[in-house]
Amino acid sequence: MAARAEATVPAWQRGRVASWLVTTDHKRIGILYITTSLVFLVLSGLMALVMRLQLAQADADIVGPERYNELVTIHGTSMVFLVGVPILAGFANFLVPLMIGASDVAFPRLNALSYWFFLFGGSVLMLSFFADGGAADTGWTAYAPLSIQAPGNGQDLWILSLHLLTVSTVAGAVNFIVTIHNMRTRGMTWTRMPLFVWSILLFGWLIMAVMPVLSAALTMLLLDRGISIGPVDVQTDFFNPEDGGSAVLYQHAFWFFGHPEVYIIVLPAFGMISEVLPVFARKPIFGYKAIVASTVAIGFFSMLVWAHHMFTIGLPFSLQAFFMISSMVIAVPTGIKIFNWLATLWRGNLSFETPMLFALGFLSLFVIGGLTGIYLAAFPIDWQVHDSYFVVAHFHYTLLGGVVFAIFAGLFYWWPKMFGRMLDEKLGKWQFWLLFVGFNVAFMPQHFVGLEGMPRRVYTYANEEWEGYNLASTIGSWIMAIAILLFAINVLKTRASGRRVGNDPWQADTLEWYTTSPPPPHNFDDVPYVTSARPLYDLRRRLREQRGEREPA
Amino acid sequence: MAAVAVSSLLAQFAPVAPESPNAEGIRDSWLFISIFVFAIFVLVESLLIAFVWKYRRQKRGRFADAAQVHGATKLELAWTAGPVVVLFLIAAFVFIELPGIKDVPDAAAGEEQLEIKVSGRQFYWEYEYPNGVIAVDTMQAPVGVPVRLEVSAPDADVIHSWWIPSLGGKIDAIPGTTNETWFQAETEGTYSGQCAELCGLEHARMLASVEVVSQDEFDAWLAERADDPAELGQEEWEGVCAKCHGMNGEGGIGPRIAGSPTLTDAEALGNLVHNGRGAMPAVGAGWTDEQIRALVSYLTENPPSGS
């Protein structure tokens, strides 16, 4: 198999760079996705550091309002569209075919196209800083009519970038859905599928359901801003109240996409946690079916909660009540997951390597983000804290404390499978503790300053009582920066001299650990028949039985 | 010491001290939810820590199997039903508090409700009182009287959000729509807040404050403002012009305007603020001649120094 695959590749495609440019191998595309996203993570993180410097003191003058609003906008847009979604798509690319015992995704060339659209879309967004009038500066939500009126080309490039990214994301989603539905190996029924694969299935379906709505809203926004097709000027008024449009219509369309988008990012992070915890507890996941059911339930309900982002626009109270209740309903399946993860630790044989530390960190921080969400779901309370730093703290606890911690758990866990070498444990542990402490120093105070009345997206503030909280946030942001630097050092060190490991260094349960590290281009020479959700556990047990060995003590 | 520090921090984990019944209803709902939030927080985090400690590996083999427990249906049912009950209680409490938060109370005997039109504009707040008096950024209101606010924005402007934390929650000022909120300040004093919806470059400086005074003082102020709009001119300069052009017209994100003849030419100034120019929005779209005259007469008497 392997020999045949290599023989068909023309010589010019085998170069060190060329082989990556033309690759349709899901593993290489996955690594391209992850690497590119990590670069965007660093860039967007640097933007956050500049914003934190500006806010460290009252009335500071490090960046002006124009530049600050651009940073706010591109930091948010980039973290969602260039880091959150694509890094998880990267993990999905690398892992899904391996986990289900397939040789690649269903549409490898479409998969490559997705990646290149992502890279182009991301580059457009970053390069828009150099556009006439600078980058977009109306927030990642780009509310009309502010975004219609925004001068210069930044907003147009922002729309172009998001159009490219939605094409990329939808193409990727189609690929994952078809792959998961059709290419599972013999014996892998729905209830024997790894939980990460389940989360990617929902990731795919949610993208299919809501991304087109974003594309439509963006196109309408573009037309409202006005375009010229040859001699014809088109200028519509969908969202422009001055000529009969509706400003809040844009918000409905945006958040119909925007809230499920949160779960598009969070569900795969949940999935990774569900893979890591059992392996480091030496137990099966507690309540497999309950976790699957809660994943499906979250996916479904995430499409019914969007207007909780719009409680202050003056919706009828009956609608606000509906969206409060639907938002609270989503807390139930989320709680089910958290309790099942806790129960997975119960009576375990817990070992605290870096992936486990990040998974436990995820658990402790995500709970906080989930609980502050209950206040926000209660609409009269939301009138008070909406668009304040309390909300900034809330979503950073879910997306940074939650998703980014899960991503690092995943990186440390699957790195040996991707590259055959183990990331350095000592640097990893330092990184974890610095990130954990820095994160809380940065974001815990933002709850308090938000409650005191500091709105989000302000480039400066006059109230000196807010200085202490803000200074703490700034210090925390720099502690996190050191943690990320340690990760970069770790990657370089591991590339040069990381410890080589075998197929299955963690004695894990899922099929990706059955093949070599890194896997060959065709993934598997043979795939064992799957008889449970833990094929490798079954295999190890059968081997022990054949050899007449006892359980390892 | 540590216990005191922790408990004082916990006390701060709530909206600011309310000065109006609606803000009080919001804070009460918050405190009720906090009971459950802290209980769940302590439960989850302490279980996490307890399990991490109790089930750490110690002398067992690194890869030794632990208890092969796959789940427990009764537990699943319990931690599904438990949160449902908690959320039901929370929702019920919120609905009980809701009327006191959203409904403007009936005016006390002999007193009228006061109605003020609030218009959010780049980057200032314009208030219109029932007798036509206009004020900018600083609102005057009588103590103890329910004040109904009709919040909107001019059609050509963008979305803003009205928010004075101690006087209740926020409500968006949306072009083409009028929203309503209210407050009834219980004590005299100045309550400050600011625009809560990103509205452009100087969003951060779109501050608002409410000066709550006695009914007599308020009536006197309102009558005086109706006769002599000189104060309005100063408010317009500071609230509308100076945020972009500097307090002394020395320039900021907008160009230097000190010494410009436009400042004292009612026709040219009217034209400029009504229509905007280049990057400058039409900050005074819909301004009356009186509003323009107030600004011109203030600037004639107090020409900006330019430094």
Side-chain angles (χ1 to χ4, degrees):
Chain A
M1 270 293 276
R4 196 187 62 193
E6 277 153 26
T8 56
V9 174
W12 68 272
Q13 291 184 3
R14 279 185 237 139
R16 264 185 89 177
V17 176
S19 65
W20 286 91
L21 292 178
V22 301
T23 187
T24 55
D25 179 340
H26 72 97
K27 298 178 291 300
R28 289 191 150 204
I29 290 171
I31 289 167
L32 283 173
Y33 258 113
I34 291 172
T35 318
T36 313
S37 299
L38 286 173
V39 171
F40 286 130
L41 174 73
V42 170
L43 290 175
S44 331
L46 288 173
M47 293 177 205
L49 290 180
V50 176
M51 290 191 280
R52 284 314 323 165
L53 279 182
Q54 163 70 17
L55 293 176
Q57 282 180 297
D59 291 320
D61 195 18
I62 289 162
V63 286
E66 280 179 55
R67 189 58 82 189
Y68 186 90
N69 288 357
E70 290 171 19
L71 291 173
V72 156
T73 304
I74 307 300
H75 167 80
T77 309
S78 166
M79 283 298 190
V80 171
F81 289 97
L82 307 184
V83 182
V85 175
I87 201 167
L88 294 163
F91 277 104
N93 254 301
F94 189 92
L95 292 170
V96 165
L98 290 171
M99 283 181 156
I100 63 174
S103 57
D104 204 324
V105 291
F107 310 116
R109 287 156 73 99
L110 183 67
N111 200 21
L113 187 77
S114 299
Y115 169 73
W116 293 105
F117 263 68
F118 157 54
L119 182 65
F120 291 140
S123 307
V124 167
L125 191 71
M126 289 299 162
L127 292 174
S128 71
F129 275 105
F130 303 105
D132 173 28
D137 61 357
T138 59
W140 88 279
T141 49
Y143 275 10
L146 183 64
S147 53
I148 299 174
Q149 297 171 9
N153 296 126
Q155 196 73 55
D156 302 307
L157 290 169
W158 181 88
I159 293 170
L160 173 65
S161 157
L162 262 57
H163 268 143
L164 291 169
L165 293 167
T166 45
V167 170
S168 153
T169 314
V170 170
V174 172
N175 226 333
F176 293 132
I177 292 170
V178 177
T179 306
I180 295 169
H181 276 266
N182 295 315
M183 296 173 71
R184 282 169 287 133
T185 189
R186 290 168 308 140
M188 184 168 284
T189 59
W190 289 109
T191 51
R192 293 176 191 164
M193 202 162 78
L195 288 166
F196 178 73
V197 179
W198 265 108
S199 74
I200 294 302
L201 184 63
L202 266 291
F203 167 93
W205 281 114
L206 275 179
I207 287 170
M208 296 289 290
V210 303
M211 277 282 174
V213 179
L214 176 69
S215 299
L218 291 173
T219 305
M220 288 153 93
L221 182 61
L222 184 69
L223 293 174
D224 274 11
R225 287 176 60 77
I227 59 168
S228 301
I229 309 167
V232 186
D233 290 335
V234 180
Q235 210 256 310
T236 57
D237 291 299
F238 293 110
F239 308 131
N240 187 3
E242 209 181 349
D243 290 301
S246 163
V248 298
L249 177 63
Y250 174 82
Q251 297 185 20
H252 280 291
F254 182 85
W255 287 116
F256 181 79
F257 144 81
H259 197 83
E261 174 78 345
V262 174
Y263 289 99
I264 287 168
I265 297 173
V266 169
L267 285 178
F270 286 170
M272 297 208 270
I273 296 301
S274 296
E275 297 299 331
V276 170
L277 285 178
V279 171
F280 290 82
R282 311 311 302 161
K283 281 182 64 189
I285 188 84
F286 196 92
Y288 173 97
K289 283 182 183 166
I291 291 183
V292 169
S294 67
T295 303
V296 176
I298 290 174
F300 176 75
F301 283 110
S302 74
M303 288 185 280
L304 295 174
V305 301
W306 77 90
H308 72 210
H309 296 269
M310 302 161 59
F311 280 151
T312 62
I313 66 163
L315 285 172
F317 294 108
S318 52
L319 271 184
Q320 301 201 39
F322 171 83
F323 283 105
M324 169 173 91
I325 289 168
S326 62
S327 306
M328 285 182 166
V329 165
I330 244 184
V332 176
T334 312
I336 290 174
K337 281 183 187 294
I338 286 174
F339 288 118
N340 277 299
W341 289 326
L342 278 176
T344 303
L345 302 177
W346 173 65
R347 293 179 63 196
N349 177 17
L350 307 184
S351 189
F352 303 107
E353 283 85 0
T354 310
M356 182 63 157
L357 288 182
F358 275 107
L360 295 171
F362 161 92
L363 205 48
S364 69
L365 298 175
F366 189 82
V367 168
I368 297 174
L371 288 172
T372 51
I374 299 178
Y375 294 109
L376 293 166
F379 59 94
I381 293 179
D382 187 74
W383 299 340
Q384 183 64 276
V385 287
H386 179 74
D387 266 349
S388 76
Y389 258 90
F390 185 83
V391 173
V392 177
H394 160 74
F395 68 70
H396 280 95
Y397 266 85
T398 57
L399 292 177
L400 210 174
V403 174
V404 173
F405 273 66
I407 285 170
F408 278 115
L411 285 171
F412 277 86
Y413 178 59
W414 281 296
W415 200 271
K417 180 52 63 185
M418 291 174 181
F419 303 104
R421 292 173 187 269
M422 194 76 104
L423 282 166
D424 187 81
E425 270 294 305
K426 198 172 165 190
L427 279 171
K429 282 176 178 155
W430 271 100
Q431 183 203 342
F432 168 76
W433 285 110
L434 282 171
L435 201 62
F436 187 81
V437 170
F439 173 79
N440 283 295
V441 171
F443 290 101
M444 188 50 82
Q446 294 186 357
H447 292 110
F448 294 94
V449 80
L451 287 166
E452 285 194 10
M454 181 162 169
R456 62 194 284 204
R457 294 169 168 171
V458 288
Y459 76 92
T460 191
Y461 53 95
N463 191 335
E464 285 175 6
E465 286 173 28
W466 298 347
E467 264 189 328
Y469 297 119
N470 277 292
L471 184 61
S473 269
T474 304
I475 292 169
S477 71
W478 284 91
I479 300 176
M480 285 193 282
I482 297 170
I484 300 299
L485 186 67
L486 285 187
F487 181 72
I489 294 171
N490 201 344
V491 169
L492 295 177
K493 192 181 165 204
T494 304
R495 260 179 75 96
S497 62
R499 182 162 63 85
R500 285 182 192 279
V501 292
N503 295 1
D504 189 7
W506 309 114
Q507 299 277 296
D509 301 331
T510 38
L511 280 179
E512 75 271 28
W513 303 102
Y514 182 71
T515 186
T516 55
S517 305
H522 57 285
N523 290 352
F524 299 98
D525 289 331
D526 68 304
V527 183
Y529 188 85
V530 176
T531 54
S532 80
R534 297 197 293 163
L536 262 63
Y537 179 85
D538 299 339
L539 204 64
R540 282 196 301 273
R541 202 182 48 191
R542 274 206 300 279
L543 278 174
R544 278 200 305 270
E545 279 167 6
Q546 281 168 15
R547 293 182 195 142
E549 290 171 11
R550 288 188 308 171
E551 298 277 305
Chain B
M1 261 314 268
V4 174
V6 167
S7 61
S8 79
L9 208 60
L10 283 183
Q12 280 181 52
F13 193 76
V16 290
E19 295 287 350
S20 172
N22 50 347
E24 211 168 295
I26 290 173
R27 195 178 146 99
D28 288 346
S29 311
W30 175 286
L31 295 176
F32 183 77
I33 294 179
S34 286
I35 299 170
F36 299 101
V37 162
F38 280 102
I40 298 168
F41 172 76
V42 170
L43 174 76
V44 171
E45 303 285 359
S46 52
L47 277 179
L48 180 63
I49 292 167
F51 288 172
V52 161
W53 180 254
K54 186 157 182 222
Y55 302 115
R56 71 192 190 282
R57 184 158 60 86
Q58 290 177 297
K59 285 175 186 154
R60 282 179 283 178
R62 167 65 183 85
F63 297 117
D65 273 357
Q68 298 298 301
V69 190
H70 287 266
T73 310
K74 278 183 185 165
L75 272 176
E76 299 290 349
L77 290 175
W79 59 52
T80 306
V84 169
V85 172
V86 168
L87 292 169
F88 180 82
L89 290 175
I90 289 174
F93 192 90
V94 168
F95 284 126
I96 290 168
E97 288 283 327
L98 183 62
I101 299 171
K102 73 179 174 69
D103 298 338
V104 192
D106 295 333
E111 277 179 4
E112 292 281 304
Q113 262 184 20
L114 177 64
E115 236 177 67
I116 303 175
K117 289 194 176 118
V118 176
S119 177
R121 322 184 49 146
Q122 286 175 320
F123 299 97
Y124 66 101
W125 296 100
E126 188 178 276
Y127 313 118
E128 189 185 335
Y129 294 82
N131 66 348
V133 161
I134 304 270
V136 168
D137 281 356
T138 307
M139 178 190 285
Q140 302 280 332
V143 71
V145 175
V147 180
R148 182 197 296 270
L149 303 177
E150 283 188 7
V151 183
S152 187
D155 282 351
D157 212 287
V158 301
I159 302 176
H160 306 272
S161 191
W162 168 259
W163 187 29
I164 308 286
S166 49
L167 298 181
K170 55 183 77 62
I171 189 82
D172 290 355
I174 303 171
T177 326
T178 302
N179 282 323
E180 202 182 86
T181 187
W182 67 282
F183 65 85
Q184 182 180 4
E186 282 143 10
T187 45
E188 293 177 24
T190 302
Y191 305 108
S192 47
Q194 65 189 94
C195 176
E197 180 63 61
L198 178 63
C199 58
L201 288 180
E202 288 294 5
H203 163 58
R205 295 172 67 181
M206 189 167 162
L207 308 181
S209 63
V210 177
E211 280 180 10
V212 176
V213 295
S214 70
Q215 181 75 49
D216 292 347
E217 271 179 87
F218 175 74
D219 291 339
W221 174 85
L222 203 59
E224 192 194 314
R225 276 295 278 262
D227 290 343
D228 173 17
E231 262 184 60
L232 174 62
Q234 183 175 355
E235 286 178 3
E236 285 171 342
W237 169 252
E238 290 172 0
V240 185
C241 313
K243 282 172 187 160
C244 297
H245 295 288
M247 282 309 278
N248 299 310
E250 71 275 18
I253 64 159
R256 176 187 171 91
I257 52 170
S260 161
T262 309
L263 298 183
T264 49
D265 177 340
E267 204 187 320
L269 189 62
N271 196 19
L272 178 66
V273 300
H274 280 145
N275 303 313
R277 182 196 294 155
M280 174 173 161
V283 292
W287 275 15
T288 60
D289 288 349
E290 198 181 337
Q291 283 170 279
I292 309 269
R293 274 202 304 276
L295 181 57
V296 169
S297 71
Y298 172 77
L299 290 174
T300 310
E301 280 167 39
N302 307 283
S305 65
S307 59

